[in-house]
Amino acid sequence: MKRNIISLGTLMTALLLVATACGSGSGGNAGNQSANGGNDANAASAGAANAGTDEKITLKMMHLWPDGSNSAQNKMVTAIIKEYEEANPNVTITTEVLENEQYKSKLKVLSASNDLPDVGFTWAAGFMDPYVNGNMFAPVDDLLQGELKDKFVAGTTEAYAFGGKTYALPVELNIVPVYYNKDIFAKYDLKPPKTLDELKTIIKTLSDNKVTPITLGGKDAWPSSFWYMYLADRIGGPDVMDKAVAGNDFTDPSLLEAAKQAQELVNMNAFVKGYNGLSNDEAKSLFMNEQAAMFAMGTWEVPNYTTSADVPQAFKDKIGYFKFPTVDGGKGSVDDWVGGPGVGLFVSQNSKHVDEAKKFVSFFVQKWGEHSVTDAGVIPATKVDTSTVKLPQMFIDLLNELNQASKVTLYLDTQMKPGASDAHHNLVQALLGKAVTPQEFIQKQDDALKAGK
C-alpha cells in the first residue's frame, strides 16, 4: 500500500488556482456556463470520440450522494451525465445511489462476485488495497498522460497509485473543520476555542445548560475517528499518526494520551446522548435542526452552509467554523488538519466497455471541476480557473485555511489496510463507548497494524 499525505505546497497550489475569486460575491450559474462558450470543446471532444459508431452502450455508475442528504452533489452528477449523454447519443448511463456506509457494503458485495459497476467511486490508499490486488480496477494512467495531463492539483493523484500505476482519479479535496452555531454560542457568551481547555469549558457550559455540545454519528465510526485524530495530532505532532501506520507501531505515548483525552470528553457529556447508535446522517440532522452546538465534519458539508438552495439562508448565516484547538504542551499546530483527497472515480477492469468508461471518467472529472466550485461549494482535485467565478465567504475562508495549512493528515481509516481499518472503526467506537480502556485501545490497534492485513 502506498501512503500519501498532501503537502503544504500542494495545498498552496490549490489555493492559488481556486481562491483567485476572493474579490467576487455569490453566484451559481456555472452549470449553465459549462455547456456554453469555450466549454463546448469538452463536449465536442467527447462526442467526436464516438463519431461514426452506432453501437448502443450502457454504462452502470454507482455514487454516494443521495438527493436528500447531498442534493448539491447529486444534482451535479445528474447534470454531468446529461451533458455526456447529449454529446454521446449512443451512450446511456444508469446510476445507483447509496449513502456512504451502504455504498461501501454494496461495493464489497459486488466485488466478491466480480460484478462491480463500470464506473464508481473509491476512497484512496488502504481502502483500495484489496480491489487493486484483486485486479478489479483498471489503470487510468493513459488518461493522466492524455487529455487529463496537468489537470490535477499536484499531489492529489498519488494517493490512488499502487506499484507505479494509478487506479482512480480524485474529484475532491477535503479538510475537517468544527462547525458551530453562532447563535447558540452567543446565547451563552461563548467564543470559538483556541485551546482544548477552552473547548472543555464550552462543553461544560453547554452541558450545564442542557444544550447538546457536540453531535456525533458514532455508529458509522469514522466521524469518531476525527476527534481521536485531532487529539493525537495536537498532542503528538503532525507526523505521529503517519509514522504509526507506516511503521505498524501504535505505541507512541501521545497516542495513548489522545485516547485518554477522548474518554475525558465522553465523561464530560461532550457528545449527543446515544451517539454510538446514531448514523452520521442522523447526527448531522441534529446540527441542521439547531439541536446541537458543534459538528466536526469534512468540507463536503460546506454546501449546506453556503450554496444549497434547500437550506434556508437564515440557518446558513448562523453557521461558522473553527480550527481544532491546540493542547497545552502538545506538539501539534492549530494549522494542522485532518483531511486529504476525497473519493475518486474508478473504472472496473471487468467492464465490457472499459474504453468508453474511461472516456466518461475523463469527461466527468473535468466537468466536476467546472461545476463544483459554484454549484456545490466543493473544493475540486482538478485545477480550476475561478477568477471570474463568485464564491461564498465560508468557501473563500476555508481556501485561505488551506493556504496556511502546515500539514493535512490523511484519515487513519483510509491510511490503514482494510483489516487494521476495520479494527480502528470498532476500537474507536469502543473507546468512546468506554467499552475498552485507553490502554486496551492502543494495544488492540497496535496488534491490528502488526497483523499486516
Side-chain angles (χ1 to χ4, degrees):
M1 180 185 77
K2 180 175 179 181
R3 270 189 323 109
N4 295 275
I5 306 300
I6 294 184
S7 68
L8 175 59
T10 296
L11 297 171
M12 291 182 70
T13 301
L15 177 71
L16 290 173
L17 291 165
V18 182
T20 50
C22 290
S24 302
S26 177
N29 296 318
N32 293 329
Q33 294 168 354
S34 66
N36 299 315
N39 290 327
D40 280 341
N42 288 331
S45 174
N50 289 300
T53 176
D54 293 325
E55 180 188 5
K56 299 296 183 181
I57 293 173
T58 297
L59 297 178
K60 295 180 181 179
M61 180 187 192
M62 274 176 57
H63 73 80
L64 62 162
W65 294 294
D67 188 37
S69 56
N70 297 94
S71 61
Q73 289 96 325
N74 183 283
K75 290 174 183 176
M76 190 160 57
V77 172
T78 301
I80 294 172
I81 289 173
K82 181 179 179 182
E83 285 185 67
Y84 191 82
E85 290 179 334
E86 288 176 350
N88 300 270
N90 65 309
V91 179
T92 299
I93 298 167
T94 62
T95 59
E96 181 176 5
V97 188
L98 302 166
E99 63 86 22
N100 197 298
E101 298 309 308
Q102 289 178 332
Y103 181 93
K104 290 179 180 178
S105 297
K106 184 67 176 286
L107 209 62
K108 289 181 180 179
V109 170
L110 293 176
S111 67
S113 58
N114 288 319
D115 194 28
L116 289 175
D118 300 284
V119 176
F121 286 89
T122 178
W123 288 262
F127 182 90
M128 292 178 64
D129 194 73
Y131 298 97
V132 172
N133 287 334
N135 197 33
M136 297 176 193
F137 292 171
V140 290
D141 298 277
D142 50 334
L143 297 180
L144 288 173
Q145 297 305 315
E147 61 183 2
L148 293 182
K149 185 176 177 62
D150 298 325
K151 295 285 188 181
F152 288 91
V153 173
T156 55
T157 60
E158 284 85 347
Y160 303 85
F162 294 75
K165 293 182 179 181
T166 307
Y167 290 91
L169 298 175
V171 295
E172 298 176 319
L173 285 171
N174 288 299
I175 52 177
V176 180
V178 182
Y179 306 104
Y180 73 102
N181 188 302
K182 291 184 283 189
D183 277 13
I184 294 177
F185 268 47
K187 182 176 181 179
Y188 299 101
D189 197 26
L190 303 173
K191 296 180 180 178
K194 302 293 186 183
T195 67
L196 181 60
D197 286 340
E198 290 179 6
L199 176 61
K200 289 178 179 178
T201 298
I202 291 171
I203 290 169
K204 185 177 187 306
T205 299
L206 292 171
S207 184
D208 287 348
N209 284 279
K210 311 301 181 184
V211 176
T212 298
I214 301 163
T215 187
L216 176 67
K219 181 180 179 181
D220 291 337
W222 53 268
S224 301
S225 182
F226 293 164
W227 286 89
Y228 175 75
M229 286 188 67
Y230 269 126
L231 290 167
D233 172 273
R234 297 302 191 257
I235 295 168
D239 298 321
V240 65
M241 288 175 284
D242 298 344
K243 290 179 179 177
V245 176
N248 295 322
D249 185 352
F250 214 74
T251 59
D252 188 289
S254 61
L255 298 175
L256 174 60
E257 181 60 28
K260 292 178 179 178
Q261 288 295 325
Q263 283 199 344
E264 183 172 333
L265 293 180
V266 171
N267 292 335
M268 295 180 65
N269 298 317
F271 305 113
V272 63
K273 185 177 180 180
Y275 52 89
N276 262 355
L278 295 178
S279 69
N280 182 59
D281 282 347
E282 290 169 327
K284 169 181 163 180
S285 71
L286 295 175
F287 187 71
M288 298 294 291
N289 289 314
E290 302 188 63
Q291 294 175 294
M294 291 174 279
F295 181 43
M297 192 49 54
T299 44
W300 55 80
E301 286 298 324
V302 171
N304 285 319
Y305 317 133
T306 55
T307 59
S308 177
D310 299 328
V311 178
Q313 187 61 44
F315 173 79
K316 296 175 188 173
D317 292 340
K318 295 179 183 180
I319 305 305
Y321 75 88
F322 59 84
K323 295 181 277 191
F324 199 91
T326 57
V327 174
D328 289 343
K331 299 177 182 178
S333 164
V334 72
D335 291 321
D336 296 340
W337 292 87
V338 168
V343 292
L345 276 168
F346 71 80
V347 171
S348 171
Q349 181 68 61
N350 292 327
S351 171
K352 296 179 181 179
H353 307 287
V354 170
D355 290 341
E356 187 62 50
K358 286 186 177 182
K359 291 171 188 173
F360 171 62
V361 164
S362 177
F363 182 89
F364 188 100
V365 165
Q366 294 177 75
K367 289 297 181 179
W368 179 278
E370 294 170 12
H371 288 286
S372 62
V373 176
T374 52
D375 289 13
V378 172
I379 302 170
T382 48
K383 301 174 184 178
V384 178
D385 179 8
T386 59
S387 58
T388 60
V389 177
K390 299 176 182 180
L391 297 172
Q393 189 60 47
M394 183 183 286
F395 193 34
I396 293 170
D397 291 343
L398 284 164
L399 288 167
N400 287 333
E401 297 292 1
L402 290 177
N403 186 41
Q404 301 178 60
S406 53
K407 175 67 179 290
V408 177
T409 299
L410 187 62
Y411 317 107
L412 269 179
D413 57 348
T414 300
Q415 284 196 55
M416 294 175 180
K417 290 184 178 181
S421 179
D422 287 345
H424 180 68
H425 287 162
N426 293 333
L427 287 168
V428 78
Q429 284 178 320
L431 179 70
L432 295 190
K434 298 177 68 175
V436 296
T437 66
Q439 292 80 4
E440 289 170 336
F441 170 82
I442 294 298
Q443 183 60 59
K444 291 178 183 294
Q445 187 67 78
D446 187 64
D447 291 344
L449 284 172
K450 284 181 168 55
K453 298 180 179 180

